[in-house]
Amino acid sequence: MLFVLGLVGFVLRRYGLPVVPVIIGVILGPRAEQQMRRAFQLSDGDVAGLFDTPFSITVYAVVAVVLLWPLVHRLVRRRPPAGEVADRAEGELDSHSGEERHGDR
């Protein structure tokens, strides 16, 4: 087991990935699994027991926002502002028609 973890750590370092999340997962993984089993025992194996309370729904929503924020931020940042797209389209139309556009003054 120790050899496998060392090998995983080496591969992560080799490709520039962080090692700390793996360490945290190895330490907290068994505890999280035990708590999941307890939750299923309390809810008689019903998965809906994990989503019943408003607190749990709020926690899941916050986790979803935290995980999706980098992706949404990248997609929004790549897209040029709407006015800039319209200006580019007008500029292309003017250049194809042969007319000069001096802008609004």
Side-chain angles (χ1 to χ4, degrees):
M1 174 85 169
L2 190 58
F3 178 74
V4 172
L5 290 176
L7 189 61
V8 168
F10 173 75
V11 170
L12 289 173
R13 290 236 176 188
R14 172 76 171 98
Y15 291 104
L17 299 170
V19 178
V20 175
V22 174
I23 294 171
I24 292 173
V26 168
I27 293 171
L28 296 180
R31 290 184 186 193
E33 185 178 348
Q34 185 179 23
Q35 294 301 322
M36 179 73 86
R37 286 183 185 171
R38 285 185 186 166
F40 281 136
Q41 286 175 349
L42 290 173
S43 66
D44 293 327
D46 187 19
V47 178
L50 299 174
F51 303 99
D52 281 348
T53 65
F55 178 75
S56 64
I57 293 171
T58 303
V59 169
Y60 290 130
V62 168
V63 168
V65 167
V66 167
L67 292 176
L68 294 175
W69 179 253
L71 176 65
V72 171
H73 186 66
R74 278 190 203 148
L75 291 175
V76 169
R77 192 172 53 179
R78 283 185 188 171
R79 188 179 310 161
E84 188 176 319
V85 173
D87 290 342
R88 285 183 188 173
E90 289 177 11
E92 289 176 6
L93 290 175
D94 290 343
S95 66
H96 291 296
S97 66
E99 299 176 7
E100 279 188 35
R101 183 165 189 238
H102 298 287
D104 299 327
R105 293 184 190 191

